[in-house]
């Protein structure tokens, strides 16, 4: 056998062919399990600050965004209402959260393979680690923003899809439709993915008309945004927001870092209690330095690729995200934000400025991956072994930067069990006999079974009837008023001990009293004494208001159609991707078969 033939034979091994996909996928799963460990160890439901999962959710007007409050949980709540008809809500949320973190990591590896071809598996593993193991993920988990992490996960995949569209590669539009739809689980998610995809598609170059690809991306973004856009148009909820929310939700400086350092380190969430313990100590500085060192090692390599318009686009997005978030926390930025809350409809969606720090992730994972090759080139000539060594060192640095992200961010992200009374009350309350009011007033609760932190009241997700809540948020330094005017009126009636006929006139058919949690009851006992008590135990009491009726909701069918449009886009995208993949695979097999037949015919000849 000739030397040339021997080299050709050794260049096509079969076993390692799976490594470029298999290893990053498995590593992403490992990190996901390490982060979410407590969610897999016992049955239960995620009930942590803004995260509320329940055994069963219902397609109420609030779930469709048709209340007078902002449609912030649309279409998330409607999705859970449909899913929990066949799957327990605790299982559904755990699966969705697990899929989100896994997809974020594996998507980072995919982004590296697309934009940094030939970088190798160790570089992809480093990218996976940066995407999953960072302060942004930890803080959003602790804040209970599990659905926002779905939008975060969709970012690298949407970029890959936009690159495929630019290159006119098969399935690009289908993939973009699917991942924008996944990001559409929350309004913020679709804006994160949609804006990034549009910026990538707007850059010069590519094999498809720039106007055509921008129109297509804009149309898809609007289509997957239909649930909350339609809900806002029908109900008018959230068109104005309390200016106090601007300073309350501005990015926050962490120890020894300042605001810009916190933001650049993928941290700085507004709630000082929703942070891993290590970020409340001087380790925040050390951890941020470690993360940024891993990223900085690859920035020169990315600079040398500055002719790639996609990398330039991601760099621009990242810089704007850092500067915009930081400026939003300055005095001029706060004044501008307060003006926008009053004068710009829907500006309330932007008030949590630290959410946009997610836009740094694509650039950071690329830089971290590029850094593996850069370190090898500068310090060690043996690629195979040194890439693994430098990747391992980078992974250790990133994990060490935030050691308490492991095991549910130090055990805080864990399932809880509801008292039996919730199931009893949920089985009694119907949707046709009026809406439900709750006591004590307010949206947040502190139950013994949910732990020491304040959690969103589970009643709106637990009951078939719409639950009236004001949307007012209690934050450090005061309160941020919500948009639920009708709920404010009903709360006032209960606190004043008004006659039940006043509740009946406002469509209230039920009053749920939640025991064991602090809050204002006012003179509500005077009203409750005139109502019919239909259930009571140590945790809950349920009263029925006689004569109440179900309110007619304008546009409910239109809102449902908007949700169906989103599901249609996601289903079409998934089907198109699968069909494209199958077509490609069949074509490869046919070409391989044709080549074999030609070789056999030549041998016979």
């Amino acid at each position: 056998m000739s030397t040339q033939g021997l080299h050709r034979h050794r260049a096509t091994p079969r076993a390692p062919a799976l490594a470029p996909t298999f290893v990053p996928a498995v590593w992403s799963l490992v990190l996901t399990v390490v982060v979410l460990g407590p969610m897999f160890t016992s049955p239960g439901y995620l009930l942590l600050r803004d995260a509320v999962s329940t055994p069963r959710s219902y397609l109420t007007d609030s779930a469709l965004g048709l209340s007078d409050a902002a449609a912030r949980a649309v279409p998330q709540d409607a999705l859970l209402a449909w899913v929990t008809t066949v799957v327990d809500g605790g299982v559904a949320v755990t699966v969705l959260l697990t899929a989100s973190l896994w997809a974020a990591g594996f998507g980072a590896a995919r982004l590296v393979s697309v934009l940094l071809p030939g970088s190798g598996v160790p570089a992809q593993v480093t990218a996976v680690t940066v995407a999953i193991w960072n302060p942004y993920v930890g803080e959003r988990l602790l804040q209970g923003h599990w659905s926002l992490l779905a939008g975060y996960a969709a970012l690298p995949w949407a970029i890959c899809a936009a690159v495929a569209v630019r290159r006119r590669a098969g399935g690009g539009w289908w993939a973009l439709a699917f991942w924008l739809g996944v990001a559409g689980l929350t309004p913020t998610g679709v804006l994160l993915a949609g804006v990034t995809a549009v910026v990538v598609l707007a850059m010069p170059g590519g094999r498809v008309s720039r106007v055509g690809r921008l129109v297509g991306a804009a149309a898809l973004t609007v289509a997957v945004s239909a649930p909350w856009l339609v809900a806002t148009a029908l109900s008018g909820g959230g068109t104005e927001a309390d200016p106090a929310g601007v300073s309350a939700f501005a990015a926050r400086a962490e120890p020894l870092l300042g605001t810009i350092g916190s933001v650049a380190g993928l941290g700085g969430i507004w709630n000082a209690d929703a942070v891993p313990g290590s970020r409340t100590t001087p380790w925040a500085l050390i951890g941020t330095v470690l993360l940024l060192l891993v990223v900085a090692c690859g920035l020169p390599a990315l600079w040398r690729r500055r002719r790639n318009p996609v990398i330039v686009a991601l760099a621009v997005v990242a810089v704007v995200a850092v500067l915009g978030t930081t400026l939003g926390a300055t005095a001029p930025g706060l004044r501008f934000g307060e003006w926008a809350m009053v004068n710009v409809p829907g500006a309330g969606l932007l008030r949590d400025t630290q959410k946009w720090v997610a836009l740094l992730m694509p650039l950071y994972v690329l830089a971290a991956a590029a850094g593996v090759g850069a370190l090898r080139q500068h310090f060690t000539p043996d690629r195979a072994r040194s890439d693994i060594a430098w990747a391992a060192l980078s992974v250790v640095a990133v994990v060490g930067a935030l050691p308490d992200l492991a095991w549910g961010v130090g055990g805080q992200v864990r399932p809880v069990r509801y008292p039996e009374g919730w199931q009893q009350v949920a089985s009694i309350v119907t949707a046709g006999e009026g809406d439900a009011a709750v006591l004590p007033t307010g949206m947040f609760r502190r139950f013994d079974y949910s732990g020491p932190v304040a959690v969103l009241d589970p009643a709106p997700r637990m009951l078939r009837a719409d639950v009236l809540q004001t949307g007012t948020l209690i934050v450090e330094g005061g309160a941020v008023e919500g948009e639920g005017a009708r709920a404010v009126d009903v709360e006032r009636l209960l606190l004043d001990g008004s006659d039940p006929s006043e509740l009946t006139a406002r469509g209230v058919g039920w009053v749920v009293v939640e025991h064991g949690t602090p809050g204002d009851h006012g003179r509500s006992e005077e009203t409750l004494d005139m109502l019919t008590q239909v259930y009571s135990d140590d945790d809950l009491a349920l009263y029925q208001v006689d004569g109440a009726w179900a309110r007619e909701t304008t546009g409910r069918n239109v809102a449902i159609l908007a949700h169906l449009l989103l599901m249609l886009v996601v289903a079409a995208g998934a089907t198109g991707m699968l069909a494209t993949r199958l077509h490609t695979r069949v074509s490869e097999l046919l070409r391989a078969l044709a080549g074999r037949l030609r070789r056999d015919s030549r041998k016979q000849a």
Side-chain angles (χ1 to χ4, degrees), residues 74 221-232 558-559 561-563 565-566:
V74 175
T221 302
V222 171
V224 300
S225 302
W228 59 273
L229 290 176
V230 169
T232 302
V558 176
L561 286 175
H563 284 77
L565 175 60
L566 168 60

Side-chain angles (χ1 to χ4, degrees), residues 200-288:
V200 169
L201 293 171
M203 297 299 288
R207 300 178 181 179
V208 179
S209 162
R210 192 189 306 189
V211 173
R213 65 199 189 207
L214 287 176
V215 169
L220 286 175
T221 302
V222 171
V224 300
S225 302
W228 59 273
L229 290 176
V230 169
T232 302
L234 290 173
S235 67
T239 53
E240 292 186 10
D242 185 357
V246 175
S247 58
F249 295 109
R252 179 185 52 83
E254 294 177 333
L256 305 178
L257 286 169
T259 304
I260 192 168
S262 302
V263 169
L266 301 181
I269 192 172
W270 60 271
N271 186 355
D273 295 326
V275 297
S278 63
R279 302 292 293 185
T280 65
T281 70
W283 189 259
L285 172 61
I286 298 173
T288 298

Side-chain angles (χ1 to χ4, degrees), residues 58-151:
Y58 299 93
L59 199 63
T60 61
D61 290 344
S62 297
L64 291 170
L66 297 179
S67 68
D68 53 0
R72 295 187 181 93
V74 175
Q76 161 196 320
D77 284 355
L79 171 68
L80 290 179
W82 279 313
V83 169
T84 55
T85 60
V86 292
V87 178
D88 178 81
V91 173
V93 169
T94 299
V95 169
L96 289 169
L97 182 54
T98 301
S100 296
L101 287 191
W102 176 82
F106 191 36
R110 176 62 181 162
L111 184 65
V112 169
S113 69
V114 169
L115 293 181
L116 303 177
S119 53
V121 172
Q124 293 180 28
V125 167
T126 304
V128 169
T129 309
V130 172
I132 294 177
W133 207 280
N134 62 66
Y136 187 89
V137 170
E139 292 174 358
R140 292 300 160 175
L141 282 174
L142 291 179
Q143 189 59 38
H145 290 174
W146 65 269
S147 53
L148 174 60
L149 291 176

Side-chain angles (χ1 to χ4, degrees), residues 214-550:
L214 287 176
V215 169
L220 286 175
T221 302
V222 171
V224 300
S225 302
W228 59 273
L229 290 176
V230 169
T232 302
L234 290 173
S235 67
T239 53
E240 292 186 10
D242 185 357
V246 175
S247 58
F249 295 109
R252 179 185 52 83
E254 294 177 333
L256 305 178
L257 286 169
T259 304
I260 192 168
S262 302
V263 169
L266 301 181
I269 192 172
W270 60 271
N271 186 355
D273 295 326
V275 297
S278 63
R279 302 292 293 185
T280 65
T281 70
W283 189 259
L285 172 61
I286 298 173
T288 298
V289 169
L290 287 173
L291 173 63
L292 294 182
L293 276 176
V294 171
V295 172
C297 287
L299 288 179
L302 293 187
W303 173 255
R304 290 192 292 272
R305 295 173 179 259
R306 61 188 178 275
R307 292 186 179 180
N308 184 326
V310 177
I311 292 178
V312 172
L314 299 182
V316 170
V317 168
V319 170
V320 170
V322 171
L323 295 180
T325 302
T326 303
L327 291 174
T330 63
L334 293 175
R335 287 195 296 270
F336 175 78
E338 290 168 356
W339 173 86
M341 294 301 114
V342 176
N343 297 283
V344 180
L349 184 64
L350 308 176
R351 66 185 183 182
D352 182 357
T353 52
Q354 197 267 349
K355 289 186 298 190
W356 312 106
V357 170
L359 296 171
L360 276 68
M361 184 264 279
L363 180 71
Y364 277 22
V365 299
L366 287 175
V372 172
L375 289 170
R376 181 246 309 157
Q377 290 178 357
H378 279 84
F379 297 105
T380 47
D382 182 358
R383 170 166 186 164
R385 293 183 178 179
S386 62
D387 274 9
I388 295 174
W390 288 117
L393 182 61
S394 299
V395 167
V396 169
V398 172
V399 173
L402 193 63
D404 46 349
L405 182 61
W407 205 248
V409 198
Q412 297 182 72
V413 182
R414 57 180 177 79
V416 304
R417 300 300 299 270
Y418 289 106
E420 180 62 27
W422 275 112
Q423 287 294 82
Q424 297 294 330
V425 169
S427 67
I428 296 171
V429 174
T430 63
E433 299 178 83
D435 297 335
V438 291
L439 288 168
T441 57
M443 293 176 58
F444 285 88
R445 304 286 187 254
R446 289 182 186 271
F447 300 116
D448 289 340
Y449 57 84
S450 63
V453 303
V455 300
L456 272 179
D457 185 358
R461 276 84 175 176
M462 190 77 75
L463 304 180
R464 291 180 178 85
D466 257 303
V467 175
L468 301 176
Q469 291 191 323
T470 64
T472 299
L473 301 176
I474 306 300
V475 296
E476 185 177 354
V480 179
E481 296 297 327
E483 306 90 359
R486 180 166 165 251
V488 170
D489 187 27
V490 170
E491 280 190 357
R492 178 185 56 80
L493 292 174
L494 286 171
L495 294 177
D496 291 345
S498 301
D499 189 272
S501 61
E502 298 285 347
L503 298 177
T504 303
R506 289 159 177 79
V508 177
W510 309 91
V511 178
V512 181
V513 182
E514 302 172 27
H515 305 310
T517 179
D520 191 3
H521 289 261
R523 294 162 49 200
S524 59
E525 284 294 336
E526 299 176 20
T527 302
L528 298 178
D529 287 342
M530 294 182 278
L531 301 178
T532 303
Q533 186 179 84
V534 293
Y535 181 82
S536 180
D537 65 15
D538 292 340
D539 299 298
L540 297 167
L542 176 65
Y543 298 82
Q544 188 165 15
V545 183
D546 295 332
W549 67 94

Side-chain angles (χ1 to χ4, degrees), residues 5-26:
L6 180 61
H7 286 316
R8 185 182 297 115
H9 175 72
R10 291 179 176 174
T12 57
R14 291 180 178 270
L18 290 176
T21 299
F22 179 76
V23 173
V26 171

Side-chain angles (χ1 to χ4, degrees), residues 3-50:
T3 303
Q4 182 180 4
L6 180 61
H7 286 316
R8 185 182 297 115
H9 175 72
R10 291 179 176 174
T12 57
R14 291 180 178 270
L18 290 176
T21 299
F22 179 76
V23 173
V26 171
W27 181 240
S28 184
L29 181 60
V30 168
L31 290 182
T32 299
V33 171
V34 172
V35 171
L36 300 179
M39 297 300 298
F40 308 122
T41 57
S42 62
Y45 303 89
L46 185 60
L47 184 61
L48 180 64
R49 294 188 175 88
D50 294 349

